[in-house]
């Protein structure tokens, strides 16, 4: 897709709205929009971190299921994470430089904005004011997710491995 379309999509995402136009234009240079088929994985849990696996993914159109294996033990089961109303994925691996912490699967034909994580990391280092704005936005998303998961855990026995 053209740079202009990518820039417009990026500008419409809450996480990037507080950045100046020039910053959004710079970030758009290392983004692409990809088409993802139903059933295709966006992220595979435990994937080792390398430049490609540090990418941030934002679902522009479509929907996803998010789940995570709770343990590597024989009795382990998947936990359906019921994500909150945010479609940013890959931020934990990007921030901590660790393997992916969950599995994300598209449930319908989706358009996804892929932000090359290594280049975004470099951009944040070179543009600390913009980096702080992005980090605050990501922190807010993560705080909402923690709150959502806490509420889910208070409503059911998600940690009972015997079921």
């Amino acid at each position: 897709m053209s740079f202009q379309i990518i820039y417009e999509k990026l500008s419409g995402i809450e996480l990037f709205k507080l950045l100046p136009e020039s910053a959004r234009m710079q970030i758009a240079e290392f983004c692409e929009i990809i088409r993802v088929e139903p059933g295709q994985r966006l992220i595979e849990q435990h994937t080792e971190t390398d430049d490609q696996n540090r990418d941030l993914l934002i679902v522009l159109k479509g929907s996803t299921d998010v789940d995570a294996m709770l343990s590597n033990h024989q009795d382990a089961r998947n936990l359906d994470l019921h994500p909150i109303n945010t479609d940013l994925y890959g931020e934990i691996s990007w921030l901590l430089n660790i393997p992916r912490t969950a599995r994300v699967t598209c449930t319908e034909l989706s358009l996804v904005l892929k932000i090359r994580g290594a280049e975004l990391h470099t951009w944040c280092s070179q543009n600390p004011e913009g980096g702080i704005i992005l980090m605050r936005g990501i922190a807010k998303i993560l705080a909402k997710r923690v709150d959502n998961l806490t509420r889910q855990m208070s409503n059911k026995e998600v940690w009972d491995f015997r079921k």
Side-chain angles (χ1 to χ4, degrees):
M1 291 198 179
S2 75
F3 173 83
Q4 185 62 34
I5 292 172
I6 291 171
Y7 170 76
E8 288 171 8
K9 295 291 187 187
L10 189 70
S11 295
I13 297 168
E14 190 69 32
L15 180 61
F16 298 97
K17 283 184 179 179
L18 293 177
L19 289 172
E21 180 180 353
S22 61
R24 290 192 309 268
M25 290 181 85
Q26 291 170 355
I27 293 170
E29 291 287 339
F30 45 88
C31 295
E32 63 182 292
I33 296 176
I34 57 174
R35 178 183 156 126
V36 184
E37 298 294 326
Q40 185 177 344
R41 291 259 165 76
L42 281 178
I43 295 175
E44 186 65 52
Q45 186 177 3
H46 305 304
T47 304
E48 288 301 318
T49 305
D50 56 23
D51 282 350
Q52 181 177 355
N53 287 315
R54 291 188 71 197
D55 294 342
L56 296 176
L57 303 164
I58 300 173
V59 178
L60 301 171
K61 181 180 179 185
S63 62
T64 58
D65 277 338
V66 181
D67 65 2
M69 182 64 74
L70 292 176
S71 167
N72 289 331
H73 294 93
Q74 186 175 3
D75 296 334
R77 63 185 174 107
N78 281 340
L79 173 64
D80 184 0
L81 297 177
H82 302 289
I84 61 170
N85 190 22
T86 180
D87 292 314
L88 171 67
Y89 301 109
E91 75 288 344
I92 295 173
S93 292
W94 182 75
L95 286 168
L96 301 177
N97 197 30
I98 61 171
R100 300 294 195 172
T101 59
R103 182 170 54 189
V104 180
T105 307
C106 286
T107 57
E108 62 185 11
L109 182 62
S110 301
L111 290 179
V112 176
L113 179 71
K114 178 177 160 182
I115 305 167
R116 290 189 295 275
E119 291 177 55
L120 183 61
H121 190 272
T122 299
W123 183 88
C124 288
S125 296
Q126 295 170 350
N127 301 277
E129 289 179 23
I132 288 170
I133 291 170
L134 285 179
M135 296 297 178
R136 282 183 184 152
I138 292 171
K140 189 174 181 179
I141 290 168
L142 289 170
K144 286 180 181 179
R145 286 188 183 164
V146 168
D147 179 58
N148 182 55
L149 288 171
T150 301
R151 290 173 195 271
Q152 285 182 54
M153 288 189 305
S154 68
N155 291 327
K156 60 184 173 182
E157 302 269 335
V158 296
W159 301 111
D160 187 356
F161 289 99
R162 295 170 291 194
K163 290 185 179 179

